[in-house]
């Protein structure tokens, strides 16, 4: 058996339904049964507009993530891990968490939420999703 025959498939996953990368990275990478996403911000992929509240921005981030997941036949129900960056954890956690809970069903993914300098946005989320049929 060669080394290549035991390596999981690795391929880029992209969609026009989410903002394009602004740097040297992919929107998502499928590796074996997993899809790893970049951190998505709250930009509307068509207009580039941002919501004003953390609730509006969280809804858009989850819509952007959903668009990428759908490109690979996945949904938010397939997410097993989320990493969340909030510009102001103390101010925005409750509003973010309210919207997040509306989009994920039990058992909800494991999650890490941290405060970060986000360059003009309130929330950024990346996820890992598991393809269950492989």
């Amino acid at each position: 058996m060669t080394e290549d025959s035991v390596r999981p498939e690795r391929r880029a996953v992209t969609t026009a339904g989410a903002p394009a990368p602004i740097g040297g990275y992919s929107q998502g990478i499928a590796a074996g049964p997993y899809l790893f996403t970049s951190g998505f911000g709250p930009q509307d992929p068509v207009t580039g507009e941002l919501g004003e509240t953390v609730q509006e921005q969280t809804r858009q981030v989850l819509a952007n993530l959903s668009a990428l997941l759908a490109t690979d036949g996945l949904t938010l129900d397939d997410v097993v891990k989320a990493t969340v960056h909030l510009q102001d954890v103390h101010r925005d956690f409750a509003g973010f968490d309210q919207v997040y809970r509306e989009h994920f069903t039990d058992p909800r993914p494991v999650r890490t939420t941290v405060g970060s300098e986000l360059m003009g946005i309130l929330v950024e989320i990346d996820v890992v999703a598991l393809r269950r049929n492989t």
Side-chain angles (χ1 to χ4, degrees), residues 46-91:
V46 175
T47 66
E49 293 180 10
L50 300 173
E52 292 183 22
T53 67
V54 73
Q55 292 92 336
E56 292 170 326
Q57 289 195 14
T58 301
R59 281 187 189 89
Q60 185 62 56
V61 169
L62 294 171
N64 294 341
L65 284 165
S66 293
L68 183 68
L69 291 166
T71 299
D72 210 41
L74 300 166
T75 71
L76 291 174
D77 288 336
D78 298 304
V79 172
V80 295
K81 168 93 171 91
T83 303
V84 179
H85 297 266
L86 294 175
Q87 176 72 27
D88 187 324
V89 177
H90 298 287
R91 179 192 66 209

Side-chain angles (χ1 to χ4, degrees), residues 37-40 61 65 79 81-85 124-128:
T37 74
S38 291
F40 277 90
V61 169
L65 284 165
V79 172
K81 168 93 171 91
T83 303
V84 179
H85 297 266
E124 178 178 292
I125 303 172
D126 67 85
V127 301
V128 177

